[in-house]
Amino acid sequence: MLPDDSVPRLELFLLASATLEPAGYGFLETPIFEDTELFARGVGESTDIVQKEMFTFEDMGGRSLTLRPEGTAPICRAYVEHGMHKRPQPIRLWYWGPFFRHEAPQAGRYRQFSQVGAEVLGSDDPAVDAEIIALLADILEEADARALRLRLSSLGTAETRREYSEELTGFLRSRADELAPDVQARIEANPLRAFDSSDAGTHAVMKEAPTLLDRLTAEDAEHFAEVRGLLDAAGIEYEIDPALVRGLDYYTRTVFEFTSDALGAQSGVGGGGRYDALVEQLGGPPTPAIGWAAGVERILLAAGGAPDVERTVEVFVAVPKDERRRTGFRVWKRLRGEHSTLMGEPGRSMKGQMKQADRVGARWTVIVEDDGFELKDMESGEQRPVASEDELVKALAQ
Ligand code: AMP
């Protein structure tokens, strides 16, 4: 990540912070690597992430460690390990940092990428679902991500999903010869992923498949209706997509995804959902929770590249090599609070430093003299003596 690319990233970080902190979300950092077991158990053995995308290695003590491929399982671990479940619920958290997946790199898909994410643990209220979706919508809109679409669905509880999976498996088996080979191979392990396939034959079959939305229990259907009602009330637009399947196993009830039509094949900008069973599965008490993660690089791609941020130098301080360099240093330190100020290197000739002032586009150059300063207006080329530091500060303040 080079300096020019880092400016919009830093701005996005500040935007996320300015959106999430006042909404009650505390910033949390978890380690870059964790016990492999955490992801195997948390994300799900049958997922692509666990099966083939993790960077896993052994440390010197022979323990299996994995560079984190996602943020939710580590956050649940931290929630339990640090007794956050004993504090008043719910707990609102947000994070930002690098994640790692061994995928074939292409535009918008990298082996190391950054995610910003938010989680609310300890509440199953539909208002929390609507809140967290609204916050991601706000961030994406403020970041100027273009051509956004929000897809929404509900996966019900683990029990509903299990029954539905059996029904879907039966359906897929009966139509197996019309499915793509990779879908066929996954019928037993992960039938829901058949909805994700880009194969035309599979697509046609899946249009006729039973949907999970039609199998929700009354309670889950009511929860989903309430989430939709809240989003409607706030004017947040969405499409119901019964085929929305996310690549992680832990989701229950609400799932959602923001995509951008401005992106190519990798159109997912960010998404998430409820994971009401995950904390318990990782050894904690039963804790309903919901979260999302959004790709930093994807958000910036969807925003159409970097905003025009020019790094400008207002004042350049040209300093000779002799004693005057101390005065130059003091002036640089004093001006820095008010102006973007760059100091020349005393080892360079005055001519070289003036050239550098030109190259960095300085508006003013201060030349340190024995008995005061010369202030050069770099636009007009005019130069005038300034007797003292105070006068210099005053002159530049105008
Ligand atoms: P996920 O954790 O799979 O739900 O991903 C959440 C978001 O992270 C996606 O919508 C993407 O924006 C981003 N993302 C996931 N994998 C990658 C990757 N390999 N490279 C870049 N961004 C990614």
Side-chain angles (χ1 to χ4, degrees):
M1 207 47 66
L2 301 175
D4 280 350
D5 302 318
S6 68
V7 174
R9 292 171 71 87
L10 288 172
E11 287 189 340
L12 183 57
F13 180 88
L14 294 175
L15 166 62
S17 168
T19 308
L20 295 166
E21 294 277 348
Y25 290 69
F27 187 68
L28 179 88
E29 285 183 82
T30 64
I32 298 293
F33 55 82
E34 299 263 3
D35 276 336
T36 302
E37 185 63 17
L38 174 67
F39 300 111
R41 277 206 295 160
V43 179
E45 293 283 4
S46 69
T47 59
D48 281 352
I49 291 184
V50 173
Q51 292 224 324
K52 55 182 189 196
E53 292 172 4
M54 297 204 302
F55 286 96
T56 297
F57 60 97
E58 260 186 24
D59 72 358
M60 284 191 283
R63 279 178 306 182
S64 179
L65 301 175
T66 291
L67 294 181
R68 60 185 190 181
E70 62 96 52
T72 302
I75 282 187
C76 292
R77 180 198 51 69
Y79 175 84
V80 177
E81 207 171 301
H82 297 280
M84 286 188 245
H85 54 287
K86 292 184 199 132
R87 297 192 206 157
Q89 304 294 300
I91 301 280
R92 291 178 164 83
L93 301 167
W94 78 283
Y95 61 89
W96 170 292
F99 291 84
F100 307 84
R101 292 184 195 172
H102 196 280
E103 297 186 275
Q106 53 176 275
R109 191 156 86 182
Y110 317 103
R111 290 182 170 173
Q112 175 173 343
F113 55 100
S114 298
Q115 282 186 341
V116 52
E119 318 276 349
V120 182
L121 298 107
S123 169
D124 65 357
D125 198 303
V128 169
D129 304 40
E131 167 189 308
I132 208 162
I133 294 172
L135 289 169
L136 179 54
D138 276 358
I139 291 173
L140 296 177
E141 196 180 309
E142 282 284 315
D144 289 332
R146 295 161 300 159
L148 283 178
R149 282 199 289 154
L150 167 59
R151 293 185 299 145
L152 186 69
S153 191
S154 175
L155 299 179
T157 52
E159 179 60 25
T160 314
R161 213 157 111 196
R162 210 162 18 248
E163 283 168 17
Y164 168 74
S165 282
E166 276 171 29
E167 184 185 355
L168 184 63
T169 305
F171 170 82
L172 292 174
R173 274 204 216 108
S174 73
R175 306 283 296 267
D177 50 346
E178 297 165 66
L179 302 172
D182 65 313
V183 178
Q184 278 183 33
R186 276 199 302 209
I187 291 182
E188 311 297 328
N190 203 342
L192 270 98
R193 294 303 301 276
F195 284 108
D196 264 354
S197 173
S198 49
D199 169 67
T202 307
H203 212 70
V205 174
M206 296 321 286
K207 279 201 169 138
E208 294 166 35
T211 71
L212 189 45
L213 271 186
D214 293 330
R215 301 291 183 273
L216 295 185
T217 62
E219 220 180 319
D220 291 345
E222 195 184 316
H223 186 275
F224 190 45
E226 183 60 21
V227 174
R228 292 193 322 257
L230 290 166
L231 294 177
D232 291 339
I236 297 170
E237 285 176 22
Y238 57 86
E239 302 157 29
I240 300 292
D241 182 357
L244 177 61
V245 185
R246 307 211 9 98
L248 300 97
D249 265 2
Y250 48 61
Y251 289 117
T252 51
R253 290 191 159 177
T254 314
V255 281
F256 57 94
E257 185 157 72
F258 284 88
T259 53
S260 166
D261 292 337
L263 298 179
Q266 303 302 317
S267 63
V269 176
R274 279 208 160 270
Y275 47 92
D276 290 341
L278 183 58
V279 174
E280 191 176 10
Q281 201 177 310
L282 294 175
T287 309
I290 183 164
W292 52 253
V296 169
E297 295 79 14
R298 298 257 181 101
I299 296 177
L300 297 175
L301 282 171
D308 262 345
V309 191
E310 264 186 50
R311 231 179 300 259
T312 48
V313 172
E314 237 183 305
V315 184
F316 187 91
V317 184
V319 278
K321 204 174 178 180
D322 55 31
E323 279 302 296
R324 286 173 287 174
R325 70 181 193 276
R326 303 221 164 129
T327 313
F329 182 67
R330 201 174 52 233
V331 165
W332 167 79
K333 192 167 179 306
R334 188 161 168 195
L335 294 179
R336 239 173 32 87
E338 290 299 321
H339 311 275
S340 84
T341 307
L342 190 67
M343 190 170 62
E345 290 151 65
R348 275 198 188 173
S349 69
M350 265 300 147
K351 200 169 150 207
Q353 291 189 51
M354 294 309 284
K355 256 193 200 161
Q356 192 190 356
D358 236 0
R359 205 173 47 242
V360 299
R363 176 70 185 82
W364 303 96
T365 295
V366 175
I367 303 155
V368 186
E369 301 284 345
D370 278 333
D371 51 355
F373 308 92
E374 286 285 322
L375 182 60
K376 183 170 179 183
D377 181 332
M378 301 296 281
E379 265 173 23
S380 66
E382 274 167 35
Q383 197 168 311
R384 66 179 166 101
V386 179
S388 70
E389 261 177 64
D390 285 345
E391 222 179 286
L392 188 63
V393 169
K394 239 188 255 161
L396 285 168
Q398 281 159 12

